[in-house]
Amino acid sequence: MVSKGIISVRGLHNQFGDNLVHEQLDLDVAQGEILTVVGGSGSGKSVLMRSILGLHRPSAGQIEVDGVDLLRADSEQRVQLERRMGVLFQRGALYSSLTVLENVLLPLQEHLSLPAEDAEALALMKLRLVGLSSAVADNSVQSLSGGMIKRVALARALILEPDFLFLDEPTAGLDPIGANDFDELLVTVQRALGLTVFLVTHDVDSIFKVSDRVAVLAERKVLVVDTPERVATHPDQWIQAYFQGPRGRAAQQGKRHPVNAEEDA
Ligand SMILES: Nc1ncnc2c1ncn2[C@@H]1O[C@H](COP(=O)(O)OP(=O)(O)OP(=O)(O)O)[C@@H](O)[C@H]1O
């Protein structure tokens, strides 16, 4: 049971016209955990992530990130926080006109004024961290496979050495092997860097492979948040269809939650 997390959301309210997306939503993300967020299409996963990132201003509520009240922070505090948050948007969101290296360098150029040589060395280091050789640095993004694009996007999200990593459906569009490789990479990187990870996904395999806890969004709030194994037994109809359907059952058989796997060994 998590008390107040390093990310703490209280009474979040998000409404677009008549569309009430979040109502009195509470959520805590513990330092150093991988929290996955699931829910039906339109349940508000992306809006929640964008609210925490400060990209969407909620209608009401309170969001604290490492003690900073996001909705009342001044611009300097926001910039400081922004630098501590790496983001991997859906489909990687890389610039196709730029090379791999130029894409990874972008946040550095935006936030720091490092000498070009140091910046490049740092970017190459991040590419190696995500399993890409420096040989791809000058390649155009268009020449990359889907899996490589996700890795480049991850390297870019890590370039400012963030404490928090936010990912929106990172395995969407990957084949099962590519998705599995990405999940393994995510866990390795998260452990190596001690990141706090907020991951939005539809991928039930990913949930069992990477999550410390899963939050299910339904009825405009967090219906349940717990380990994947416990959430899978929740009686809610959507949860049962999702976790106990054929894909959910297969994922549970194929799983071994990485942390538990070590502890159980
Ligand atoms: N900028 C916006 N203006 C108006 N409505 C919006 C806006 N952003 C999101 N919404 C609405 O908010 C609801 C939640 O959207 P959101 O993208 O968070 O859902 P989601 O759970 O991420 O869905 P999916 O799984 O399909 O990606 C949807 O009904 C969407 O149409």
Side-chain angles (χ1 to χ4, degrees):
M1 177 71 196
V2 172
S3 49
K4 192 170 178 183
I6 190 144
I7 299 174
S8 150
V9 179
R10 290 288 178 275
L12 189 74
H13 200 87
N14 271 307
Q15 184 154 7
F16 300 97
D18 293 339
N19 186 6
L20 182 56
V21 179
H22 299 137
E23 187 179 23
Q24 288 298 324
L25 181 150
D26 296 340
L27 179 66
D28 287 282
V29 187
Q31 184 161 22
E33 77 168 334
I34 301 184
L35 179 93
T36 49
V37 178
V38 296
S41 196
S43 58
K45 303 179 291 294
S46 299
V47 173
L48 174 60
M49 179 169 131
R50 291 172 58 80
S51 299
I52 298 171
L53 285 167
L55 298 172
H56 168 75
R57 191 167 181 88
S59 320
Q62 193 182 21
I63 300 172
E64 268 187 32
V65 180
D66 201 7
V68 177
D69 183 341
L70 197 67
L71 304 181
R72 283 163 198 82
D74 60 32
S75 56
E76 175 60 26
Q77 285 175 310
R78 281 170 163 275
V79 170
Q80 293 293 337
L81 260 189
E82 204 181 298
R83 276 180 49 175
R84 297 177 60 199
M85 296 173 161
V87 190
L88 198 160
F89 288 107
Q90 254 180 52
R91 289 181 284 279
L94 300 179
Y95 290 93
S96 56
S97 60
L98 302 180
T99 66
V100 166
L101 186 68
E102 287 165 345
N103 266 288
V104 177
L105 282 170
L106 273 179
L108 273 184
Q109 289 160 347
E110 200 181 317
H111 287 278
L112 299 176
S113 48
L114 280 182
E117 224 172 89
D118 294 349
E120 197 172 311
L122 195 58
L124 291 172
M125 203 172 86
K126 297 300 176 203
L127 284 172
R128 281 197 296 278
L129 177 69
V130 300
L132 292 173
S133 97
S134 50
V136 301
D138 295 325
N139 286 11
S140 91
V141 164
Q142 281 154 324
S143 69
L144 303 179
S145 69
M148 285 167 94
I149 286 176
K150 306 284 177 159
R151 283 169 191 258
V152 175
L154 182 59
R156 187 175 66 181
L158 296 173
I159 191 77
L160 293 173
E161 314 209 324
D163 298 314
F164 306 95
L165 180 63
F166 293 80
L167 307 102
D168 196 353
E169 298 193 35
T171 56
L174 297 183
D175 62 47
I177 295 170
N180 186 55
D181 288 349
F182 188 88
D183 287 339
E184 284 179 4
L185 174 65
L186 176 62
V187 172
T188 304
V189 167
Q190 183 263 343
R191 291 220 198 130
L193 305 180
L195 299 167
T196 300
V197 175
F198 183 101
L199 167 67
V200 171
T201 188
H202 280 290
D203 186 337
V204 73
D205 286 325
S206 290
I207 291 167
F208 284 99
K209 289 199 182 102
V210 310
S211 318
D212 292 303
R213 295 189 307 145
V214 190
V216 179
L217 257 61
E219 298 160 24
R220 300 181 290 281
K221 59 184 192 303
V222 175
L223 191 62
V224 57
V225 53
D226 210 329
T227 62
E229 292 78 8
R230 286 201 205 108
V231 168
T233 65
H234 191 283
D236 175 77
Q237 213 176 358
W238 185 87
I239 294 178
Q240 283 306 302
Y242 186 77
F243 283 92
Q244 305 299 348
R247 294 191 62 212
R249 284 203 309 273
Q252 290 185 65
Q253 280 156 18
K255 78 180 177 209
R256 209 60 198 118
H257 181 266
V259 175
N260 293 344
E262 275 183 5
E263 284 169 354
D264 294 351

PDB file of all heavy atoms in Angstrom, residues 190-221:
ATOM      1  N   GLN A 190      15.141   1.055 -16.157  1.00  0.00           N
ATOM      2  CA  GLN A 190      14.498   1.580 -14.940  1.00  0.00           C
ATOM      3  C   GLN A 190      15.284   1.192 -13.699  1.00  0.00           C
ATOM      4  O   GLN A 190      15.513   2.011 -12.815  1.00  0.00           O
ATOM      5  CB  GLN A 190      13.060   1.038 -14.860  1.00  0.00           C
ATOM      6  CG  GLN A 190      12.263   1.570 -13.677  1.00  0.00           C
ATOM      7  CD  GLN A 190      12.260   0.641 -12.492  1.00  0.00           C
ATOM      8  OE1 GLN A 190      12.586  -0.545 -12.611  1.00  0.00           O
ATOM      9  NE2 GLN A 190      11.902   1.162 -11.335  1.00  0.00           N
ATOM     10  N   ARG A 191      15.747  -0.058 -13.674  1.00  0.00           N
ATOM     11  CA  ARG A 191      16.513  -0.510 -12.501  1.00  0.00           C
ATOM     12  C   ARG A 191      17.873   0.168 -12.455  1.00  0.00           C
ATOM     13  O   ARG A 191      18.338   0.576 -11.400  1.00  0.00           O
ATOM     14  CB  ARG A 191      16.715  -2.013 -12.575  1.00  0.00           C
ATOM     15  CG  ARG A 191      15.412  -2.725 -12.382  1.00  0.00           C
ATOM     16  CD  ARG A 191      15.626  -3.939 -11.517  1.00  0.00           C
ATOM     17  NE  ARG A 191      14.494  -4.803 -11.703  1.00  0.00           N
ATOM     18  CZ  ARG A 191      14.590  -6.072 -11.972  1.00  0.00           C
ATOM     19  NH1 ARG A 191      15.765  -6.644 -12.085  1.00  0.00           N
ATOM     20  NH2 ARG A 191      13.515  -6.794 -12.107  1.00  0.00           N
ATOM     21  N   ALA A 192      18.521   0.249 -13.622  1.00  0.00           N
ATOM     22  CA  ALA A 192      19.873   0.823 -13.660  1.00  0.00           C
ATOM     23  C   ALA A 192      19.853   2.293 -13.217  1.00  0.00           C
ATOM     24  O   ALA A 192      20.765   2.750 -12.541  1.00  0.00           O
ATOM     25  CB  ALA A 192      20.449   0.710 -15.064  1.00  0.00           C
ATOM     26  N   LEU A 193      18.795   3.002 -13.589  1.00  0.00           N
ATOM     27  CA  LEU A 193      18.757   4.443 -13.326  1.00  0.00           C
ATOM     28  C   LEU A 193      17.865   4.808 -12.142  1.00  0.00           C
ATOM     29  O   LEU A 193      17.780   5.978 -11.767  1.00  0.00           O
ATOM     30  CB  LEU A 193      18.285   5.196 -14.582  1.00  0.00           C
ATOM     31  CG  LEU A 193      19.086   4.926 -15.872  1.00  0.00           C
ATOM     32  CD1 LEU A 193      18.511   5.720 -17.038  1.00  0.00           C
ATOM     33  CD2 LEU A 193      20.562   5.283 -15.687  1.00  0.00           C
ATOM     34  N   GLY A 194      17.168   3.814 -11.582  1.00  0.00           N
ATOM     35  CA  GLY A 194      16.291   4.085 -10.436  1.00  0.00           C
ATOM     36  C   GLY A 194      15.124   5.001 -10.777  1.00  0.00           C
ATOM     37  O   GLY A 194      14.696   5.823  -9.970  1.00  0.00           O
ATOM     38  N   LEU A 195      14.593   4.853 -11.990  1.00  0.00           N
ATOM     39  CA  LEU A 195      13.535   5.758 -12.457  1.00  0.00           C
ATOM     40  C   LEU A 195      12.178   5.437 -11.827  1.00  0.00           C
ATOM     41  O   LEU A 195      11.894   4.286 -11.507  1.00  0.00           O
ATOM     42  CB  LEU A 195      13.371   5.622 -13.979  1.00  0.00           C
ATOM     43  CG  LEU A 195      14.567   5.969 -14.845  1.00  0.00           C
ATOM     44  CD1 LEU A 195      14.340   5.474 -16.269  1.00  0.00           C
ATOM     45  CD2 LEU A 195      14.788   7.476 -14.837  1.00  0.00           C
ATOM     46  N   THR A 196      11.377   6.450 -11.708  1.00  0.00           N
ATOM     47  CA  THR A 196       9.960   6.274 -11.402  1.00  0.00           C
ATOM     48  C   THR A 196       9.236   6.319 -12.742  1.00  0.00           C
ATOM     49  O   THR A 196       9.374   7.293 -13.486  1.00  0.00           O
ATOM     50  CB  THR A 196       9.449   7.409 -10.487  1.00  0.00           C
ATOM     51  OG1 THR A 196      10.215   7.381  -9.279  1.00  0.00           O
ATOM     52  CG2 THR A 196       7.970   7.264 -10.186  1.00  0.00           C
ATOM     53  N   VAL A 197       8.499   5.241 -13.058  1.00  0.00           N
ATOM     54  CA  VAL A 197       7.939   5.120 -14.413  1.00  0.00           C
ATOM     55  C   VAL A 197       6.409   5.115 -14.376  1.00  0.00           C
ATOM     56  O   VAL A 197       5.797   4.378 -13.587  1.00  0.00           O
ATOM     57  CB  VAL A 197       8.455   3.827 -15.098  1.00  0.00           C
ATOM     58  CG1 VAL A 197       7.787   3.636 -16.456  1.00  0.00           C
ATOM     59  CG2 VAL A 197       9.972   3.866 -15.250  1.00  0.00           C
ATOM     60  N   PHE A 198       5.826   5.926 -15.249  1.00  0.00           N
ATOM     61  CA  PHE A 198       4.369   6.003 -15.442  1.00  0.00           C
ATOM     62  C   PHE A 198       4.116   5.555 -16.873  1.00  0.00           C
ATOM     63  O   PHE A 198       4.528   6.220 -17.821  1.00  0.00           O
ATOM     64  CB  PHE A 198       3.926   7.452 -15.235  1.00  0.00           C
ATOM     65  CG  PHE A 198       2.451   7.691 -15.339  1.00  0.00           C
ATOM     66  CD1 PHE A 198       1.664   7.828 -14.201  1.00  0.00           C
ATOM     67  CD2 PHE A 198       1.831   7.821 -16.570  1.00  0.00           C
ATOM     68  CE1 PHE A 198       0.299   8.087 -14.288  1.00  0.00           C
ATOM     69  CE2 PHE A 198       0.466   8.063 -16.678  1.00  0.00           C
ATOM     70  CZ  PHE A 198      -0.293   8.200 -15.528  1.00  0.00           C
ATOM     71  N   LEU A 199       3.494   4.400 -17.018  1.00  0.00           N
ATOM     72  CA  LEU A 199       3.379   3.777 -18.346  1.00  0.00           C
ATOM     73  C   LEU A 199       1.917   3.546 -18.706  1.00  0.00           C
ATOM     74  O   LEU A 199       1.206   2.813 -18.015  1.00  0.00           O
ATOM     75  CB  LEU A 199       4.126   2.432 -18.300  1.00  0.00           C
ATOM     76  CG  LEU A 199       3.915   1.444 -19.436  1.00  0.00           C
ATOM     77  CD1 LEU A 199       4.494   1.970 -20.735  1.00  0.00           C
ATOM     78  CD2 LEU A 199       4.555   0.107 -19.094  1.00  0.00           C
ATOM     79  N   VAL A 200       1.473   4.180 -19.768  1.00  0.00           N
ATOM     80  CA  VAL A 200       0.124   3.936 -20.283  1.00  0.00           C
ATOM     81  C   VAL A 200       0.222   2.837 -21.324  1.00  0.00           C
ATOM     82  O   VAL A 200       1.062   2.911 -22.232  1.00  0.00           O
ATOM     83  CB  VAL A 200      -0.455   5.212 -20.936  1.00  0.00           C
ATOM     84  CG1 VAL A 200      -1.759   4.902 -21.664  1.00  0.00           C
ATOM     85  CG2 VAL A 200      -0.671   6.292 -19.894  1.00  0.00           C
ATOM     86  N   THR A 201      -0.615   1.819 -21.189  1.00  0.00           N
ATOM     87  CA  THR A 201      -0.530   0.735 -22.175  1.00  0.00           C
ATOM     88  C   THR A 201      -1.868   0.030 -22.370  1.00  0.00           C
ATOM     89  O   THR A 201      -2.743   0.067 -21.497  1.00  0.00           O
ATOM     90  CB  THR A 201       0.552  -0.291 -21.758  1.00  0.00           C
ATOM     91  OG1 THR A 201       0.742  -1.218 -22.830  1.00  0.00           O
ATOM     92  CG2 THR A 201       0.174  -1.049 -20.507  1.00  0.00           C
ATOM     93  N   HIS A 202      -2.000  -0.605 -23.537  1.00  0.00           N
ATOM     94  CA  HIS A 202      -3.122  -1.512 -23.796  1.00  0.00           C
ATOM     95  C   HIS A 202      -2.616  -2.945 -23.792  1.00  0.00           C
ATOM     96  O   HIS A 202      -3.388  -3.889 -23.929  1.00  0.00           O
ATOM     97  CB  HIS A 202      -3.716  -1.249 -25.191  1.00  0.00           C
ATOM     98  CG  HIS A 202      -4.630  -0.079 -25.249  1.00  0.00           C
ATOM     99  ND1 HIS A 202      -5.862  -0.075 -24.667  1.00  0.00           N
ATOM    100  CD2 HIS A 202      -4.487   1.135 -25.814  1.00  0.00           C
ATOM    101  CE1 HIS A 202      -6.451   1.095 -24.884  1.00  0.00           C
ATOM    102  NE2 HIS A 202      -5.619   1.842 -25.574  1.00  0.00           N
ATOM    103  N   ASP A 203      -1.292  -3.081 -23.669  1.00  0.00           N
ATOM    104  CA  ASP A 203      -0.638  -4.368 -23.928  1.00  0.00           C
ATOM    105  C   ASP A 203      -0.590  -5.210 -22.650  1.00  0.00           C
ATOM    106  O   ASP A 203       0.198  -4.958 -21.742  1.00  0.00           O
ATOM    107  CB  ASP A 203       0.788  -4.063 -24.439  1.00  0.00           C
ATOM    108  CG  ASP A 203       1.530  -5.297 -24.892  1.00  0.00           C
ATOM    109  OD1 ASP A 203       1.170  -6.407 -24.447  1.00  0.00           O
ATOM    110  OD2 ASP A 203       2.478  -5.145 -25.687  1.00  0.00           O
ATOM    111  N   VAL A 204      -1.449  -6.220 -22.604  1.00  0.00           N
ATOM    112  CA  VAL A 204      -1.580  -7.011 -21.382  1.00  0.00           C
ATOM    113  C   VAL A 204      -0.295  -7.806 -21.080  1.00  0.00           C
ATOM    114  O   VAL A 204       0.044  -8.049 -19.922  1.00  0.00           O
ATOM    115  CB  VAL A 204      -2.863  -7.894 -21.449  1.00  0.00           C
ATOM    116  CG1 VAL A 204      -2.705  -9.033 -22.398  1.00  0.00           C
ATOM    117  CG2 VAL A 204      -3.298  -8.361 -20.075  1.00  0.00           C
ATOM    118  N   ASP A 205       0.458  -8.152 -22.123  1.00  0.00           N
ATOM    119  CA  ASP A 205       1.757  -8.816 -21.902  1.00  0.00           C
ATOM    120  C   ASP A 205       2.695  -7.894 -21.133  1.00  0.00           C
ATOM    121  O   ASP A 205       3.351  -8.305 -20.175  1.00  0.00           O
ATOM    122  CB  ASP A 205       2.432  -9.180 -23.239  1.00  0.00           C
ATOM    123  CG  ASP A 205       1.760 -10.366 -23.902  1.00  0.00           C
ATOM    124  OD1 ASP A 205       1.310 -11.265 -23.163  1.00  0.00           O
ATOM    125  OD2 ASP A 205       1.682 -10.387 -25.137  1.00  0.00           O
ATOM    126  N   SER A 206       2.747  -6.639 -21.585  1.00  0.00           N
ATOM    127  CA  SER A 206       3.630  -5.656 -20.940  1.00  0.00           C
ATOM    128  C   SER A 206       3.288  -5.502 -19.465  1.00  0.00           C
ATOM    129  O   SER A 206       4.173  -5.398 -18.617  1.00  0.00           O
ATOM    130  CB  SER A 206       3.489  -4.275 -21.581  1.00  0.00           C
ATOM    131  OG  SER A 206       4.024  -4.269 -22.859  1.00  0.00           O
ATOM    132  N   ILE A 207       1.995  -5.483 -19.182  1.00  0.00           N
ATOM    133  CA  ILE A 207       1.569  -5.255 -17.797  1.00  0.00           C
ATOM    134  C   ILE A 207       2.223  -6.269 -16.869  1.00  0.00           C
ATOM    135  O   ILE A 207       2.785  -5.915 -15.829  1.00  0.00           O
ATOM    136  CB  ILE A 207       0.034  -5.360 -17.700  1.00  0.00           C
ATOM    137  CG1 ILE A 207      -0.589  -4.176 -18.420  1.00  0.00           C
ATOM    138  CG2 ILE A 207      -0.425  -5.405 -16.243  1.00  0.00           C
ATOM    139  CD1 ILE A 207      -2.062  -4.327 -18.651  1.00  0.00           C
ATOM    140  N   PHE A 208       2.168  -7.531 -17.266  1.00  0.00           N
ATOM    141  CA  PHE A 208       2.721  -8.569 -16.387  1.00  0.00           C
ATOM    142  C   PHE A 208       4.245  -8.583 -16.404  1.00  0.00           C
ATOM    143  O   PHE A 208       4.875  -8.998 -15.451  1.00  0.00           O
ATOM    144  CB  PHE A 208       2.146  -9.941 -16.756  1.00  0.00           C
ATOM    145  CG  PHE A 208       0.745 -10.090 -16.263  1.00  0.00           C
ATOM    146  CD1 PHE A 208      -0.332  -9.889 -17.104  1.00  0.00           C
ATOM    147  CD2 PHE A 208       0.502 -10.391 -14.927  1.00  0.00           C
ATOM    148  CE1 PHE A 208      -1.629  -9.995 -16.640  1.00  0.00           C
ATOM    149  CE2 PHE A 208      -0.803 -10.487 -14.452  1.00  0.00           C
ATOM    150  CZ  PHE A 208      -1.863 -10.292 -15.310  1.00  0.00           C
ATOM    151  N   LYS A 209       4.826  -8.131 -17.490  1.00  0.00           N
ATOM    152  CA  LYS A 209       6.294  -8.178 -17.577  1.00  0.00           C
ATOM    153  C   LYS A 209       6.963  -7.041 -16.824  1.00  0.00           C
ATOM    154  O   LYS A 209       8.039  -7.219 -16.273  1.00  0.00           O
ATOM    155  CB  LYS A 209       6.737  -8.152 -19.035  1.00  0.00           C
ATOM    156  CG  LYS A 209       6.405  -9.478 -19.700  1.00  0.00           C
ATOM    157  CD  LYS A 209       7.192  -9.689 -20.957  1.00  0.00           C
ATOM    158  CE  LYS A 209       6.772 -10.999 -21.599  1.00  0.00           C
ATOM    159  NZ  LYS A 209       5.879 -10.793 -22.729  1.00  0.00           N
ATOM    160  N   VAL A 210       6.333  -5.880 -16.810  1.00  0.00           N
ATOM    161  CA  VAL A 210       7.073  -4.727 -16.276  1.00  0.00           C
ATOM    162  C   VAL A 210       6.491  -4.106 -15.003  1.00  0.00           C
ATOM    163  O   VAL A 210       7.233  -3.461 -14.261  1.00  0.00           O
ATOM    164  CB  VAL A 210       7.235  -3.601 -17.345  1.00  0.00           C
ATOM    165  CG1 VAL A 210       7.774  -4.153 -18.643  1.00  0.00           C
ATOM    166  CG2 VAL A 210       5.944  -2.844 -17.589  1.00  0.00           C
ATOM    167  N   SER A 211       5.193  -4.298 -14.753  1.00  0.00           N
ATOM    168  CA  SER A 211       4.569  -3.480 -13.704  1.00  0.00           C
ATOM    169  C   SER A 211       4.910  -3.908 -12.288  1.00  0.00           C
ATOM    170  O   SER A 211       4.855  -5.099 -11.972  1.00  0.00           O
ATOM    171  CB  SER A 211       3.038  -3.570 -13.770  1.00  0.00           C
ATOM    172  OG  SER A 211       2.563  -3.532 -15.045  1.00  0.00           O
ATOM    173  N   ASP A 212       5.189  -2.933 -11.445  1.00  0.00           N
ATOM    174  CA  ASP A 212       5.119  -3.188 -10.011  1.00  0.00           C
ATOM    175  C   ASP A 212       3.653  -3.125  -9.585  1.00  0.00           C
ATOM    176  O   ASP A 212       3.179  -3.953  -8.833  1.00  0.00           O
ATOM    177  CB  ASP A 212       5.935  -2.145  -9.242  1.00  0.00           C
ATOM    178  CG  ASP A 212       7.422  -2.322  -9.514  1.00  0.00           C
ATOM    179  OD1 ASP A 212       7.924  -3.436  -9.270  1.00  0.00           O
ATOM    180  OD2 ASP A 212       8.065  -1.376  -9.995  1.00  0.00           O
ATOM    181  N   ARG A 213       2.959  -2.110 -10.101  1.00  0.00           N
ATOM    182  CA  ARG A 213       1.528  -1.992  -9.820  1.00  0.00           C
ATOM    183  C   ARG A 213       0.808  -1.538 -11.092  1.00  0.00           C
ATOM    184  O   ARG A 213       1.420  -0.934 -11.979  1.00  0.00           O
ATOM    185  CB  ARG A 213       1.271  -0.976  -8.705  1.00  0.00           C
ATOM    186  CG  ARG A 213       1.857  -1.399  -7.358  1.00  0.00           C
ATOM    187  CD  ARG A 213       1.401  -0.473  -6.243  1.00  0.00           C
ATOM    188  NE  ARG A 213       1.676   0.911  -6.576  1.00  0.00           N
ATOM    189  CZ  ARG A 213       0.899   1.933  -6.225  1.00  0.00           C
ATOM    190  NH1 ARG A 213      -0.183   1.731  -5.514  1.00  0.00           N
ATOM    191  NH2 ARG A 213       1.218   3.165  -6.568  1.00  0.00           N
ATOM    192  N   VAL A 214      -0.487  -1.838 -11.124  1.00  0.00           N
ATOM    193  CA  VAL A 214      -1.343  -1.426 -12.251  1.00  0.00           C
ATOM    194  C   VAL A 214      -2.487  -0.583 -11.713  1.00  0.00           C
ATOM    195  O   VAL A 214      -3.110  -0.964 -10.714  1.00  0.00           O
ATOM    196  CB  VAL A 214      -2.012  -2.648 -12.931  1.00  0.00           C
ATOM    197  CG1 VAL A 214      -2.689  -2.231 -14.231  1.00  0.00           C
ATOM    198  CG2 VAL A 214      -1.058  -3.764 -13.153  1.00  0.00           C
ATOM    199  N   ALA A 215      -2.749   0.536 -12.350  1.00  0.00           N
ATOM    200  CA  ALA A 215      -3.927   1.341 -12.008  1.00  0.00           C
ATOM    201  C   ALA A 215      -4.937   1.192 -13.140  1.00  0.00           C
ATOM    202  O   ALA A 215      -4.586   1.372 -14.309  1.00  0.00           O
ATOM    203  CB  ALA A 215      -3.539   2.807 -11.835  1.00  0.00           C
ATOM    204  N   VAL A 216      -6.169   0.843 -12.787  1.00  0.00           N
ATOM    205  CA  VAL A 216      -7.215   0.706 -13.804  1.00  0.00           C
ATOM    206  C   VAL A 216      -8.106   1.946 -13.757  1.00  0.00           C
ATOM    207  O   VAL A 216      -8.670   2.272 -12.715  1.00  0.00           O
ATOM    208  CB  VAL A 216      -8.074  -0.559 -13.562  1.00  0.00           C
ATOM    209  CG1 VAL A 216      -9.161  -0.661 -14.632  1.00  0.00           C
ATOM    210  CG2 VAL A 216      -7.213  -1.803 -13.535  1.00  0.00           C
ATOM    211  N   LEU A 217      -8.208   2.622 -14.886  1.00  0.00           N
ATOM    212  CA  LEU A 217      -9.088   3.791 -14.988  1.00  0.00           C
ATOM    213  C   LEU A 217     -10.451   3.347 -15.495  1.00  0.00           C
ATOM    214  O   LEU A 217     -10.550   2.707 -16.551  1.00  0.00           O
ATOM    215  CB  LEU A 217      -8.503   4.815 -15.980  1.00  0.00           C
ATOM    216  CG  LEU A 217      -7.827   6.030 -15.357  1.00  0.00           C
ATOM    217  CD1 LEU A 217      -6.658   5.600 -14.511  1.00  0.00           C
ATOM    218  CD2 LEU A 217      -7.379   6.997 -16.424  1.00  0.00           C
ATOM    219  N   ALA A 218     -11.480   3.663 -14.738  1.00  0.00           N
ATOM    220  CA  ALA A 218     -12.860   3.366 -15.155  1.00  0.00           C
ATOM    221  C   ALA A 218     -13.776   4.246 -14.331  1.00  0.00           C
ATOM    222  O   ALA A 218     -13.415   4.640 -13.205  1.00  0.00           O
ATOM    223  CB  ALA A 218     -13.191   1.894 -14.919  1.00  0.00           C
ATOM    224  N   GLU A 219     -14.914   4.525 -14.872  1.00  0.00           N
ATOM    225  CA  GLU A 219     -15.911   5.351 -14.168  1.00  0.00           C
ATOM    226  C   GLU A 219     -15.304   6.678 -13.712  1.00  0.00           C
ATOM    227  O   GLU A 219     -15.520   7.138 -12.595  1.00  0.00           O
ATOM    228  CB  GLU A 219     -16.510   4.578 -12.981  1.00  0.00           C
ATOM    229  CG  GLU A 219     -17.239   3.321 -13.418  1.00  0.00           C
ATOM    230  CD  GLU A 219     -17.417   2.311 -12.285  1.00  0.00           C
ATOM    231  OE1 GLU A 219     -17.408   2.735 -11.126  1.00  0.00           O
ATOM    232  OE2 GLU A 219     -17.540   1.115 -12.581  1.00  0.00           O
ATOM    233  N   ARG A 220     -14.431   7.222 -14.554  1.00  0.00           N
ATOM    234  CA  ARG A 220     -13.845   8.564 -14.360  1.00  0.00           C
ATOM    235  C   ARG A 220     -12.848   8.656 -13.206  1.00  0.00           C
ATOM    236  O   ARG A 220     -12.462   9.723 -12.789  1.00  0.00           O
ATOM    237  CB  ARG A 220     -14.957   9.620 -14.194  1.00  0.00           C
ATOM    238  CG  ARG A 220     -15.874   9.704 -15.402  1.00  0.00           C
ATOM    239  CD  ARG A 220     -16.936  10.742 -15.226  1.00  0.00           C
ATOM    240  NE  ARG A 220     -17.917  10.354 -14.227  1.00  0.00           N
ATOM    241  CZ  ARG A 220     -18.905   9.513 -14.455  1.00  0.00           C
ATOM    242  NH1 ARG A 220     -19.069   8.974 -15.647  1.00  0.00           N
ATOM    243  NH2 ARG A 220     -19.739   9.217 -13.498  1.00  0.00           N
ATOM    244  N   LYS A 221     -12.459   7.496 -12.658  1.00  0.00           N
ATOM    245  CA  LYS A 221     -11.474   7.545 -11.564  1.00  0.00           C
ATOM    246  C   LYS A 221     -10.579   6.306 -11.628  1.00  0.00           C
ATOM    247  O   LYS A 221     -10.705   5.500 -12.563  1.00  0.00           O
ATOM    248  CB  LYS A 221     -12.195   7.617 -10.224  1.00  0.00           C
ATOM    249  CG  LYS A 221     -13.122   6.450  -9.947  1.00  0.00           C
ATOM    250  CD  LYS A 221     -13.839   6.680  -8.636  1.00  0.00           C
ATOM    251  CE  LYS A 221     -14.563   5.452  -8.133  1.00  0.00           C
ATOM    252  NZ  LYS A 221     -15.556   4.868  -9.030  1.00  0.00           N
TER     253      LYS A 221
END
